[in-house]
Amino acid sequence: MRRYAFETISLGDRAFAFRWSEPLPAALLAARAAAVSALGLPWLLESAAAGGTIAFYLKPSCSSIEDAAAELVRLWDGIREEAPAETRRVELPVVYGGEFGPDLGACASRAGMTEARFAELHSSAVYTVEMMGFAPGFPYLSGLDGRLEQPRRPNPRLRVPAGSVAVAGNRTGVYPNESPGGWQIIGRTAVPLFRPEEKEPFLLRPGDQVSFVPAAELSTTGEDEDKDMDKSPWAPANPALKVLKPGLLTTVQDAGRVGWRRYGVSVGGAMDDRAMRTANLLVGNDEEAAVLELTMIGGSYAVERDLLIAVCGADLSPQADGSPLPMNRPVFVAAGSELTFGKARFGCRAYVAVAGGIDAPAALGSRSADPRARIGGGSGGRALAAGDAIGAAAASPRSAALLDTLRARAEADGRLACLSAVSWQAADDARSAAWPDGEGFTLRVVPGEEWEEFTEASRERLLSAAYRVEASSDRMGLRLSGEPLIREGGSELVSHGVVPGTIQVPPDGNPIVLGAGCQPTGGYPKIAHVIGADWPLLAQAAPGCRLVFEAVTLREAEQAWKRKLREHALLKVGIGLRLAQAASEGGTK
């Protein structure tokens, strides 16, 4: 890649991007992003090309965007990438309008033409895959006729069917899976763009050419896709728990699916990474092992064999056979007992770690369930349902020793006790960060790239008013209500890299704070970013919770991340010492 002018932009405090001032071929950017990833830089988690930019995501051990960006700039001219992959041509049959294209009429009206003419112009062009993003295999296609350009919807739909062909700004694209989305839907194709079960999961790649062919009907229907979600879950060979009542939303989650952002795959993983890691450490697991994530209402589970577990995060009133189960500490639960979790008394998401880690097949390198991608969790991405079996791998020797001592303690009670626990516990970080009334959090933010495009009153409002978390919030993002935020200037944005904590503002002015399950790219303006050290608090902000935002500098955000790393290191060492003592001295220390 010859020398081109680019600028460095921050994506909060956990990622940054290079953006070029002149158009560059999509395949060339993708090749350069791959070459950077191949360098093995100690701070780089992954990189992804998107719309004239390459985003670079920091590993947890790295705390300084400025240092990472400066090193990459120094290395830049010496990086050599392989030649871009050969361009392919793909045709997609599309049924335009009607139930498959509910926005076609409005789009045609805005363009001053008939629906038939709009569809004719859309299908007569040859498009180029500029990048992948938003959803697994979602292609951002350049080459749209300027007469067909459309604004994004004022408020994103909560459900866009798989195969939907859509337009936003000067781009068109195809939704590979059912998902929320704010593009204008003009038609639908039955060709699957994301096939996770195949060796090559993605039909398209950056640089490919795509054309749409009008069709009279779909060759298949969405019924087949729905059946995929209902397929029998994986049957573990080592069952630990059986779902009796699944609660509101219970899924398997781990540290996430790294390395696939360039194809539009969400990193996902536990919403409250801190609670997940703490729960795993308490039972002697690798801190990134898979756990259960319980949301708002936890359900009930039959214990299939003696287990060592830990529950961290939200207080869902955990019990074993009716006896309160202490949180934030390792607990022995006996085979045949029943674990129950009620409604959240504090927070939103609880994490249940089992010694050995939840055992489910890995999909694209992670066990995490991704409902939008329909992968992971041992259930095709769906939430757990009644009757599902939950497996756990073999516990470490230290965990097994602690389980034995806690079991002996339960038996020594002179009755068939279903649980016993150590007397010490890890700190409850989310509760300590909550407001005194427990109904809200203060989240620190750094300005987003479009900060200055919002009115002064809107910027002041973001940093002074309380916003309410709406019931429509999910793992992708927290939808907030309050006084709308108004963007004064700026044109329709080309979709770009986003990260958890990004505060996007759709045209209706109601901000959305992206969560761990967010899409890799988005096109709504970014007014600010919640700093990485405060991401766990987003996970515990339940519907009705109030959020207040406090501005900090990037330097302060980096210092907060360093403190988080230091506190976690001390926690890890402290728990390790406690586990060793408890296993050797009877489990009470």
Side-chain angles (χ1 to χ4, degrees):
M1 177 185 263
R2 68 179 178 84
R3 189 174 183 88
Y4 294 90
F6 62 83
E7 62 176 328
T8 302
I9 56 177
S10 66
L11 302 173
D13 65 309
R14 303 306 308 148
F16 65 94
F18 288 169
R19 180 169 60 196
W20 280 261
S21 57
E22 57 186 293
L24 293 177
L28 187 62
L29 281 175
R32 173 50 65 107
V36 173
S37 293
L39 293 176
L41 298 171
W43 53 264
L44 181 63
L45 187 66
E46 62 180 306
S47 60
T53 67
I54 302 178
F56 305 98
Y57 303 88
L58 273 58
K59 288 182 178 179
S61 57
C62 178
S63 60
S64 175
I65 280 182
E66 292 180 352
D67 291 347
E71 179 184 11
L72 191 54
V73 168
R74 289 195 301 271
L75 296 172
W76 194 254
D77 289 338
I79 299 174
R80 296 291 179 263
E81 66 271 4
E82 296 181 3
E86 182 180 351
T87 298
R88 301 174 300 177
R89 177 74 174 268
V90 179
E91 291 187 349
L92 299 176
V94 179
V95 178
Y96 286 96
E99 64 175 308
F100 301 129
D103 298 326
L104 179 60
C107 289
S109 178
R110 279 189 291 267
M113 61 183 71
T114 65
E115 293 185 23
R117 179 58 175 163
F118 194 102
E120 178 186 6
L121 289 173
H122 185 267
S123 61
S124 63
V126 176
Y127 301 94
T128 299
V129 179
E130 198 171 79
M131 63 179 185
M132 314 293 283
F134 174 71
F138 184 104
Y140 287 83
L141 303 173
S142 60
L144 184 72
D145 189 308
R147 292 169 288 180
L148 306 185
E149 293 184 12
Q150 297 291 320
R152 285 177 171 80
R153 291 175 57 84
N155 196 9
R157 284 186 172 94
L158 297 179
R159 178 183 179 276
V160 176
S164 292
V165 179
V167 176
N170 61 354
R171 298 290 185 269
T172 189
V174 183
Y175 285 79
N177 294 90
E178 180 184 307
S179 71
W183 288 32
Q184 306 286 347
I185 309 304
I186 62 171
R188 193 180 303 174
T189 181
V191 177
L193 272 65
F194 177 46
R195 306 154 299 178
E197 70 285 352
E198 297 190 13
K199 183 178 180 180
E200 296 292 336
F202 304 97
L203 178 65
L204 302 173
R205 64 189 180 210
D208 285 350
Q209 293 187 329
V210 176
S211 58
F212 296 105
V213 180
E217 61 182 12
L218 294 181
S219 58
T220 62
T221 69
E223 294 176 359
D224 293 331
E225 185 178 356
D226 293 336
K227 289 177 182 177
D228 286 343
M229 283 292 282
D230 294 330
K231 65 184 179 182
S232 298
W234 179 65
N238 45 4
L241 298 167
K242 181 178 181 180
V243 181
L244 302 177
K245 295 180 181 179
L248 183 63
L249 177 66
T250 299
T251 57
V252 174
Q253 300 294 335
D254 57 17
R257 198 163 271 112
V258 175
W260 296 94
R261 276 185 172 106
R262 65 186 185 276
Y263 292 108
V265 179
S266 169
V267 171
M271 279 282 285
D272 188 341
D273 181 77
R274 182 164 53 197
M276 176 206 75
R277 290 175 183 272
T278 300
N280 272 320
L281 291 174
L282 286 168
V283 295
N285 291 345
D286 179 280
E287 61 188 83
E288 296 187 351
V291 300
L292 297 183
E293 181 180 86
L294 283 57
T295 304
M296 294 295 294
I297 303 173
S300 58
Y301 308 82
V303 178
E304 302 283 80
R305 54 187 168 91
D306 289 355
L307 298 175
L308 183 69
I309 71 170
V311 181
C312 295
D315 183 356
L316 304 186
S317 304
Q319 295 184 342
D321 281 355
S323 298
L325 189 149
M327 295 181 59
N328 303 305
R329 65 186 75 184
V331 181
F332 161 79
V333 289
S337 57
E338 181 178 332
L339 291 177
T340 59
F341 300 84
K343 295 181 180 179
R345 296 193 296 187
F346 170 81
C348 184
R349 293 175 175 87
Y351 295 84
V352 181
V354 178
I358 299 299
D359 191 12
L364 301 183
S366 171
R367 292 181 170 84
S368 288
D370 185 336
R372 284 199 305 145
R374 298 174 185 262
I375 57 175
S379 58
R382 67 162 171 77
L384 295 179
D388 285 351
I390 302 168
S396 67
R398 185 174 61 178
S399 299
L402 179 55
L403 187 151
D404 287 342
T405 57
L406 290 177
R407 179 196 289 121
R409 178 182 169 188
E411 293 172 348
D413 284 347
R415 55 185 176 85
L416 294 177
C418 66
L419 65 86
S420 65
V422 298
S423 58
W424 49 271
Q425 66 180 44
D428 188 341
D429 295 307
R431 193 181 292 271
S432 64
W435 296 353
D437 61 8
E439 295 183 0
F441 297 101
T442 297
L443 302 175
R444 293 165 289 183
V445 298
V446 293
E449 189 178 0
E450 288 74 48
W451 172 263
E452 294 293 341
E453 296 179 8
F454 287 85
T455 65
E456 182 179 356
S458 293
R459 298 195 300 266
E460 292 176 353
R461 187 178 305 124
L462 179 71
L463 300 176
S464 60
Y467 283 84
R468 183 180 185 274
V469 179
E470 291 299 299
S472 56
S473 300
D474 57 18
R475 286 176 46 84
M476 282 187 66
L478 278 65
R479 294 171 180 261
L480 308 183
S481 61
E483 192 72 21
L485 303 174
I486 309 301
R487 185 185 179 211
E488 270 187 320
S491 59
E492 189 79 15
L493 299 176
V494 175
S495 290
H496 46 263
V498 293
V499 295
T502 297
I503 305 177
Q504 292 188 312
V505 184
D508 66 4
N510 291 313
I512 299 172
V513 189
L514 300 184
C518 72
Q519 69 277 13
T521 60
Y524 290 122
K526 309 173 294 298
I527 191 171
H529 302 269
V530 175
I531 70 172
D534 287 353
W535 289 354
L537 301 182
L538 290 175
Q540 300 306 340
C545 178
R546 292 171 293 151
L547 300 178
V548 166
F549 301 102
E550 173 188 335
V552 296
T553 66
L554 188 59
R555 180 68 63 185
E556 289 171 325
E558 292 174 349
Q559 291 299 320
W561 187 263
K562 288 180 180 178
R563 286 194 297 274
K564 174 184 174 179
L565 292 179
R566 186 165 54 249
E567 291 166 359
H568 181 72
L570 291 173
L571 176 70
K572 186 172 183 178
V573 170
I575 289 177
L577 291 173
R578 286 286 197 175
L579 288 181
Q581 292 172 354
S584 62
E585 299 177 13
T588 60
K589 299 297 183 71

